[in-house]
Amino acid sequence: MADLMLLEYKEKTGQFHHNMVRDRRAQWEPNTNGWETIAYTDEDKAGVFGNIMECKLHRREALKQPPYTTEYIRKEWKLFCYAYNYIVGVIEIAPEQKEFIQKHFDEPKALARLGNGHFSEIKENEELPWAWEYNPHSFIDSNF
């Protein structure tokens, strides 16, 4: 299992924080300095969720909207958990599927196209279109 952590969120700034857990003890005192615990989970799962939510948070920031509430983030976490757990529970990825994904999936570019501000330089430098600007009749364009 990956490293365990408390995924924390600061509503005031719309930021996430990884509070690592070692020997069942959090590195920093939970729920302090405006951070609120969203979940006790593994770092990989939290990383995927954080990247998705940062895309949404950067969009809100661009629209001059306030960050999401902690309650909203917890609801999104549970929706994400459903999809994540369902996929992990039912998918039987064959080597050729994994190879296909590794060939076509570029995480930084995908995040840039989804509006994650941490990857905006990639989007600008490579003149990438937004993720939702794709050919729905193309298998690769639809799935990556």
Side-chain angles (χ1 to χ4, degrees):
M1 182 178 269
D3 291 332
L4 295 177
M5 56 164 281
L6 294 176
L7 176 62
E8 298 179 328
Y9 176 72
K10 189 179 279 192
E11 184 175 317
K12 183 176 180 181
T13 59
Q15 294 177 304
F16 288 96
H17 175 257
H18 292 198
N19 189 353
M20 301 309 292
V21 174
R22 304 270 191 267
D23 299 321
R24 293 193 253 168
R25 295 187 61 107
Q27 187 173 0
W28 295 285
E29 184 66 32
N31 301 319
T32 58
N33 301 317
W35 295 105
E36 294 185 63
T37 301
I38 300 302
Y40 179 41
T41 190
D42 71 71
E43 189 173 20
D44 292 338
K45 188 174 181 178
V48 173
F49 176 75
N51 282 334
I52 291 169
M53 292 309 299
E54 284 175 356
C55 293
K56 291 179 162 194
L57 286 161
H58 283 109
R59 177 76 175 138
R60 286 182 70 81
E61 183 180 352
L63 295 172
K64 307 265 190 273
Q65 296 175 338
Y68 291 116
T69 65
T70 300
E71 178 183 7
Y72 180 85
I73 295 295
R74 286 186 177 135
K75 289 177 182 177
E76 287 290 309
W77 169 253
K78 295 310 285 185
L79 181 62
F80 170 78
C81 285
Y82 167 78
Y84 184 95
N85 294 330
Y86 182 83
I87 291 167
V88 169
V90 300
I91 196 164
E92 292 181 30
I93 194 157
E96 63 274 3
Q97 286 177 309
K98 188 170 185 166
E99 183 180 321
F100 182 77
I101 291 168
Q102 288 173 335
K103 179 180 178 183
H104 295 285
F105 179 65
D106 185 323
E107 183 181 16
K109 283 184 182 178
L111 289 169
R113 293 183 66 207
L114 286 165
N116 188 315
H118 299 295
F119 298 90
S120 61
E121 191 172 292
I122 293 172
K123 184 173 184 325
E124 291 172 19
N125 290 345
E126 297 189 28
E127 298 179 2
L128 299 171
W130 291 112
W132 48 89
E133 295 172 356
Y134 67 93
N135 178 356
H137 299 282
S138 163
F139 183 81
I140 291 175
D141 217 18
S142 292
N143 289 280
F144 299 94

